[in-house]
Amino acid sequence: MTREGSAVQDGLITAETPVAWLGKASYWTPDHLMPSAWHEHAPFAFWLIDALRPATFVELGSHNGFSYFAMCEAVRRLGLPTQCSAIDSWEGDEHAGFYGDDVFRAVTEINDAQYPDFSQLIRAYFSDAVDRFEDGSIELLHIDGRHRYEDAVEDFETYRPKLAANAVVIFHDTFEFDRGFGVHRLWAELEQRYPDSTFQFEHGHGLGVLGIGAELPQGIVDFFAAGRASGEQVREDYARLGAVVEARAVEVQARLDDTARIAAQQQEIEALRQHAARLDAELAGARARFDEVTGSTAWRATAPARRLVELVRRRR
């Protein structure tokens, strides 16, 4: 879980020693690039799954599933026995926006097709689902639900008894300060309570990483040590990797938008063709009826009378 490059050694950055915060997984590109505010954290999510190798991963707040499926993808690629659970009402909120059942159907389709053997979607409120998990069983918890301070505190405290001795908790939107977001307030408190096992990424709306267990794997311990000694380098590396994923997502979305636009234009053209075909059919029917009338015996018999009427009309 290292690469050749700069690293922390006695508090200094060296050029030859492998770093503790990057690995091969950090450079993966996610398979599922649906719209999300989480794109830029996918490289760290991949690294985290590899470094922590959790037996149980739980996500509170999945929306369209980008962050969740990034974790599931890492589990699949690494061949881990991790059991994954996504908990969400799939209704939305004032920050994410409200949406219909189409979002849940899309997430379910991906989950059923690619991760059915180790992943479950739990459509429920967080507090209603907490009893599904044994105390001390969750090794990785991602909190990304309602973003007001009180909500973030409630989510953390509700699931805290479920955390294992080697647990890591990640919080999204820790560097978002507008529109009533309050996760940053909780994060400031956690930094005070756990000064040796917290680290915050500031890109991508912020991602707080908290090591709350007393038995953290050495790779996670080294990560927090690197964060204390060379936090800016860690942030810079992952901001750069995250920007690549974001750019890729924008490119994919642009292609999808183009495809949707072309499909819409094709539908419009087809609708015009069908309308023209209906008009042609109506015109052909009118012509047939006209030919039937003008070819009838009655039409020919009344021809002198029609010519007389036309002559009178012209003289007037």
Side-chain angles (χ1 to χ4, degrees), residues 32 34 63-65 69 90 100-113 121:
H32 308 290
M34 63 280 287
H63 195 169
N64 59 18
F69 289 135
W90 276 282
D101 283 347
D102 56 318
V103 174
F104 180 66
R105 286 194 295 269
V107 173
T108 300
E109 182 177 347
I110 294 174
N111 193 71
D112 290 350
L121 306 180

Side-chain angles (χ1 to χ4, degrees), residues 59-208:
E59 179 170 271
L60 306 181
S62 294
H63 195 169
N64 59 18
F66 175 79
S67 58
Y68 182 69
F69 289 135
M71 304 284 192
C72 289
E73 185 177 340
V75 168
R76 174 71 76 196
R77 289 194 190 193
L78 294 167
L80 303 179
T82 309
Q83 293 299 305
C84 302
S85 300
I87 306 172
D88 202 315
S89 66
W90 276 282
E91 297 172 350
D93 57 41
E94 69 270 26
H95 289 133
F98 294 92
Y99 45 83
D101 283 347
D102 56 318
V103 174
F104 180 66
R105 286 194 295 269
V107 173
T108 300
E109 182 177 347
I110 294 174
N111 193 71
D112 290 350
Q114 301 199 23
Y115 312 112
D117 50 328
F118 63 86
S119 169
Q120 63 173 336
L121 306 180
I122 302 174
R123 194 171 193 180
Y125 295 116
F126 303 156
S127 58
D128 293 336
V130 68
D131 289 337
R132 291 173 176 254
F133 304 94
E134 297 291 334
D135 287 355
S137 65
I138 299 175
E139 297 182 354
L140 177 59
L141 177 66
H142 175 211
I143 298 178
D144 194 13
R146 288 169 58 92
H147 293 91
R148 296 189 182 278
Y149 170 74
E150 296 79 8
D151 298 318
V153 170
E154 179 182 354
D155 295 341
F156 177 60
E157 294 299 336
T158 298
Y159 277 80
R160 187 174 178 181
K162 306 300 177 179
L163 298 176
N166 62 336
V168 171
V169 185
I170 55 177
F171 302 80
H172 191 222
D173 292 307
T174 56
F175 210 68
E176 188 66 58
F177 306 98
D178 297 326
R179 297 186 296 135
F181 278 74
V183 185
H184 64 91
R185 289 177 53 194
L186 172 59
W187 184 249
E189 295 172 1
L190 293 173
E191 286 181 317
Q192 294 296 318
R193 290 162 58 184
Y194 305 95
D196 295 330
S197 58
T198 51
F199 184 80
Q200 178 180 214
F201 294 104
E202 297 176 357
H203 65 282
H205 307 280
L207 187 73

Side-chain angles (χ1 to χ4, degrees), residues 209-224:
V209 186
L210 167 65
I212 200 170
E215 302 175 9
L216 295 173
Q218 190 59 47
I220 301 298
V221 173
D222 291 344
F223 169 77
F224 287 124

